[in-house]
Amino acid sequence: MNLDAIAAKYAPIACKGILLAVGMSGSVILGVAIGYPAMSPFAAFGAMMAMHITPRHGVVAKVGGALAGCLFLLLAASVSEVIGPYPVLALVFLFGLSWLAALPKADLAYLGFVAKFAAIAVLLSFFDFTPSLAMGLYFCGGILLGLLLSLAEMAFEQENEERPLAQLRALLHGDINDPWLSLVIPVTVVVSSLIAKNFSYANPAWVGLTVIFVANADDSLELKRILARVVGTIAGAFLAYLLLRYIHLPLQLALVVGLLAFFMPFSIKHYTIFSLIITCIVLVLIDIVMLDHGGDMRLLFWRCIDTVFGCVCVFFANLILKYLYWRRKRHARKDAAAGAAPSA
């Protein structure tokens, strides 16, 4: 493969990496410049989320899809806050969003991402922290930055997915994973998060978050993803430990975040490496949030524990899923044999 072919192949991915790095590290740098570095990671998370859920289908679809998805996420977080004093309602709401995240097939990527991020917002709101107005404003600012950067990315995009409305119509017309088998995922999210909370985990929402991103109702590679997630997370936490041990200034950490974010698009198909990168980014950003309190190095240990426990829960849920699928196929074969018997 000559240099021109290599450049043509990797230029779109490199462009996405550069824009993602600009969005995430730029958010932190801007927060430092205006004197609020501790709030800047929320803008970085907003930029990352907007660039991930923005559909790859023209300006109108990008803007409309990104804004609709982010509004849905903010609405889900707001509803979670309102019904937070009523745990049963909050868990039912979390269950419904997690089920919705499990339903779309792989080609309905936009709907799947929107539902996953909404479920994560509810998880974090219900189990880990209370959102504030400042967090919301920084997060929305990051969303707008991510949207602008995703529009700039159009010059290099090669993929062209269905419009959000077309994906929604496909979902409503039955282009979904098996709805009954998909129920295993929301059950696992709720049960694993509650177990983590009852055992006084530092961040029980991380367990449910792991389940949401590792489990898939229509993925035969889940067991490989579980191992990759555990290995990548532990490696990412170790890398974050090394970085945070020697780097303490927000601007330096912002550059670290930007460098790691650049490699995220290159690692999408390598789940272990992607888990390493995203784990390290999240831990560095959370440490920036906690800089006024001396950082939060203890989270490194808990992040590994939460991920391992979440993956164990996915493993057992996967076994249940495969058992249910086997039983259904077995009953289908018996019914088919019984129907064919009279004609024989």
PDB file of all heavy atoms in Angstrom, residues 116-129:
ATOM      1  N   LYS A 116     -28.411   4.857  25.269  1.00  0.00           N
ATOM      2  CA  LYS A 116     -27.352   4.479  26.214  1.00  0.00           C
ATOM      3  C   LYS A 116     -26.915   5.680  27.045  1.00  0.00           C
ATOM      4  O   LYS A 116     -26.775   5.585  28.276  1.00  0.00           O
ATOM      5  CB  LYS A 116     -26.160   3.900  25.459  1.00  0.00           C
ATOM      6  CG  LYS A 116     -26.359   2.474  24.975  1.00  0.00           C
ATOM      7  CD  LYS A 116     -25.137   1.955  24.229  1.00  0.00           C
ATOM      8  CE  LYS A 116     -25.348   0.528  23.768  1.00  0.00           C
ATOM      9  NZ  LYS A 116     -24.196  -0.010  23.031  1.00  0.00           N
ATOM     10  N   PHE A 117     -26.686   6.816  26.404  1.00  0.00           N
ATOM     11  CA  PHE A 117     -26.245   7.995  27.142  1.00  0.00           C
ATOM     12  C   PHE A 117     -27.334   8.492  28.092  1.00  0.00           C
ATOM     13  O   PHE A 117     -27.041   8.987  29.189  1.00  0.00           O
ATOM     14  CB  PHE A 117     -25.815   9.101  26.180  1.00  0.00           C
ATOM     15  CG  PHE A 117     -24.435   8.915  25.620  1.00  0.00           C
ATOM     16  CD1 PHE A 117     -24.226   8.729  24.262  1.00  0.00           C
ATOM     17  CD2 PHE A 117     -23.331   8.905  26.449  1.00  0.00           C
ATOM     18  CE1 PHE A 117     -22.953   8.547  23.747  1.00  0.00           C
ATOM     19  CE2 PHE A 117     -22.045   8.724  25.954  1.00  0.00           C
ATOM     20  CZ  PHE A 117     -21.855   8.542  24.585  1.00  0.00           C
ATOM     21  N   ALA A 118     -28.595   8.382  27.670  1.00  0.00           N
ATOM     22  CA  ALA A 118     -29.688   8.784  28.554  1.00  0.00           C
ATOM     23  C   ALA A 118     -29.738   7.877  29.784  1.00  0.00           C
ATOM     24  O   ALA A 118     -29.930   8.349  30.917  1.00  0.00           O
ATOM     25  CB  ALA A 118     -31.014   8.740  27.793  1.00  0.00           C
ATOM     26  N   ALA A 119     -29.574   6.566  29.573  1.00  0.00           N
ATOM     27  CA  ALA A 119     -29.574   5.633  30.704  1.00  0.00           C
ATOM     28  C   ALA A 119     -28.404   5.914  31.636  1.00  0.00           C
ATOM     29  O   ALA A 119     -28.545   5.845  32.875  1.00  0.00           O
ATOM     30  CB  ALA A 119     -29.506   4.193  30.182  1.00  0.00           C
ATOM     31  N   ILE A 120     -27.250   6.269  31.078  1.00  0.00           N
ATOM     32  CA  ILE A 120     -26.086   6.600  31.901  1.00  0.00           C
ATOM     33  C   ILE A 120     -26.347   7.854  32.719  1.00  0.00           C
ATOM     34  O   ILE A 120     -25.980   7.936  33.898  1.00  0.00           O
ATOM     35  CB  ILE A 120     -24.849   6.780  31.009  1.00  0.00           C
ATOM     36  CG1 ILE A 120     -24.396   5.426  30.475  1.00  0.00           C
ATOM     37  CG2 ILE A 120     -23.702   7.439  31.775  1.00  0.00           C
ATOM     38  CD1 ILE A 120     -23.345   5.510  29.404  1.00  0.00           C
ATOM     39  N   ALA A 121     -27.000   8.849  32.102  1.00  0.00           N
ATOM     40  CA  ALA A 121     -27.325  10.073  32.840  1.00  0.00           C
ATOM     41  C   ALA A 121     -28.221   9.767  34.033  1.00  0.00           C
ATOM     42  O   ALA A 121     -28.033  10.315  35.128  1.00  0.00           O
ATOM     43  CB  ALA A 121     -28.005  11.078  31.904  1.00  0.00           C
ATOM     44  N   VAL A 122     -29.182   8.890  33.837  1.00  0.00           N
ATOM     45  CA  VAL A 122     -30.078   8.505  34.933  1.00  0.00           C
ATOM     46  C   VAL A 122     -29.320   7.720  35.989  1.00  0.00           C
ATOM     47  O   VAL A 122     -29.512   7.921  37.195  1.00  0.00           O
ATOM     48  CB  VAL A 122     -31.268   7.694  34.384  1.00  0.00           C
ATOM     49  CG1 VAL A 122     -32.120   7.147  35.528  1.00  0.00           C
ATOM     50  CG2 VAL A 122     -32.117   8.559  33.466  1.00  0.00           C
ATOM     51  N   LEU A 123     -28.447   6.817  35.555  1.00  0.00           N
ATOM     52  CA  LEU A 123     -27.627   6.045  36.497  1.00  0.00           C
ATOM     53  C   LEU A 123     -26.807   6.964  37.395  1.00  0.00           C
ATOM     54  O   LEU A 123     -26.812   6.833  38.629  1.00  0.00           O
ATOM     55  CB  LEU A 123     -26.680   5.132  35.727  1.00  0.00           C
ATOM     56  CG  LEU A 123     -27.088   3.688  35.466  1.00  0.00           C
ATOM     57  CD1 LEU A 123     -26.106   3.043  34.499  1.00  0.00           C
ATOM     58  CD2 LEU A 123     -27.159   2.896  36.754  1.00  0.00           C
ATOM     59  N   LEU A 124     -26.092   7.893  36.787  1.00  0.00           N
ATOM     60  CA  LEU A 124     -25.234   8.797  37.547  1.00  0.00           C
ATOM     61  C   LEU A 124     -26.058   9.693  38.467  1.00  0.00           C
ATOM     62  O   LEU A 124     -25.668   9.959  39.607  1.00  0.00           O
ATOM     63  CB  LEU A 124     -24.397   9.649  36.588  1.00  0.00           C
ATOM     64  CG  LEU A 124     -23.346   8.885  35.770  1.00  0.00           C
ATOM     65  CD1 LEU A 124     -22.719   9.802  34.727  1.00  0.00           C
ATOM     66  CD2 LEU A 124     -22.259   8.320  36.678  1.00  0.00           C
ATOM     67  N   SER A 125     -27.191  10.164  37.954  1.00  0.00           N
ATOM     68  CA  SER A 125     -28.039  11.050  38.751  1.00  0.00           C
ATOM     69  C   SER A 125     -28.620  10.324  39.959  1.00  0.00           C
ATOM     70  O   SER A 125     -28.692  10.868  41.058  1.00  0.00           O
ATOM     71  CB  SER A 125     -29.150  11.613  37.873  1.00  0.00           C
ATOM     72  OG  SER A 125     -30.070  12.360  38.636  1.00  0.00           O
ATOM     73  N   PHE A 126     -29.032   9.069  39.761  1.00  0.00           N
ATOM     74  CA  PHE A 126     -29.713   8.354  40.836  1.00  0.00           C
ATOM     75  C   PHE A 126     -28.748   7.779  41.867  1.00  0.00           C
ATOM     76  O   PHE A 126     -29.021   7.788  43.067  1.00  0.00           O
ATOM     77  CB  PHE A 126     -30.555   7.216  40.246  1.00  0.00           C
ATOM     78  CG  PHE A 126     -31.347   6.455  41.275  1.00  0.00           C
ATOM     79  CD1 PHE A 126     -32.434   7.041  41.911  1.00  0.00           C
ATOM     80  CD2 PHE A 126     -31.001   5.160  41.621  1.00  0.00           C
ATOM     81  CE1 PHE A 126     -33.167   6.342  42.870  1.00  0.00           C
ATOM     82  CE2 PHE A 126     -31.723   4.454  42.577  1.00  0.00           C
ATOM     83  CZ  PHE A 126     -32.811   5.055  43.201  1.00  0.00           C
ATOM     84  N   PHE A 127     -27.577   7.292  41.411  1.00  0.00           N
ATOM     85  CA  PHE A 127     -26.681   6.578  42.318  1.00  0.00           C
ATOM     86  C   PHE A 127     -25.497   7.400  42.818  1.00  0.00           C
ATOM     87  O   PHE A 127     -25.023   7.182  43.924  1.00  0.00           O
ATOM     88  CB  PHE A 127     -26.140   5.315  41.640  1.00  0.00           C
ATOM     89  CG  PHE A 127     -27.143   4.200  41.540  1.00  0.00           C
ATOM     90  CD1 PHE A 127     -27.761   3.914  40.339  1.00  0.00           C
ATOM     91  CD2 PHE A 127     -27.470   3.445  42.647  1.00  0.00           C
ATOM     92  CE1 PHE A 127     -28.682   2.879  40.241  1.00  0.00           C
ATOM     93  CE2 PHE A 127     -28.398   2.415  42.572  1.00  0.00           C
ATOM     94  CZ  PHE A 127     -29.002   2.136  41.358  1.00  0.00           C
ATOM     95  N   ASP A 128     -24.966   8.303  41.997  1.00  0.00           N
ATOM     96  CA  ASP A 128     -23.647   8.855  42.320  1.00  0.00           C
ATOM     97  C   ASP A 128     -23.618  10.323  42.732  1.00  0.00           C
ATOM     98  O   ASP A 128     -22.889  10.694  43.638  1.00  0.00           O
ATOM     99  CB  ASP A 128     -22.699   8.648  41.135  1.00  0.00           C
ATOM    100  CG  ASP A 128     -22.113   7.245  41.119  1.00  0.00           C
ATOM    101  OD1 ASP A 128     -22.493   6.449  41.995  1.00  0.00           O
ATOM    102  OD2 ASP A 128     -21.291   6.949  40.237  1.00  0.00           O
ATOM    103  N   PHE A 129     -24.341  11.198  42.053  1.00  0.00           N
ATOM    104  CA  PHE A 129     -24.240  12.610  42.417  1.00  0.00           C
ATOM    105  C   PHE A 129     -25.498  13.367  41.995  1.00  0.00           C
ATOM    106  O   PHE A 129     -26.282  12.888  41.173  1.00  0.00           O
ATOM    107  CB  PHE A 129     -23.004  13.262  41.786  1.00  0.00           C
ATOM    108  CG  PHE A 129     -23.064  13.370  40.279  1.00  0.00           C
ATOM    109  CD1 PHE A 129     -23.644  14.459  39.671  1.00  0.00           C
ATOM    110  CD2 PHE A 129     -22.512  12.378  39.485  1.00  0.00           C
ATOM    111  CE1 PHE A 129     -23.692  14.561  38.290  1.00  0.00           C
ATOM    112  CE2 PHE A 129     -22.559  12.468  38.105  1.00  0.00           C
ATOM    113  CZ  PHE A 129     -23.147  13.570  37.513  1.00  0.00           C
TER     114      PHE A 129
END
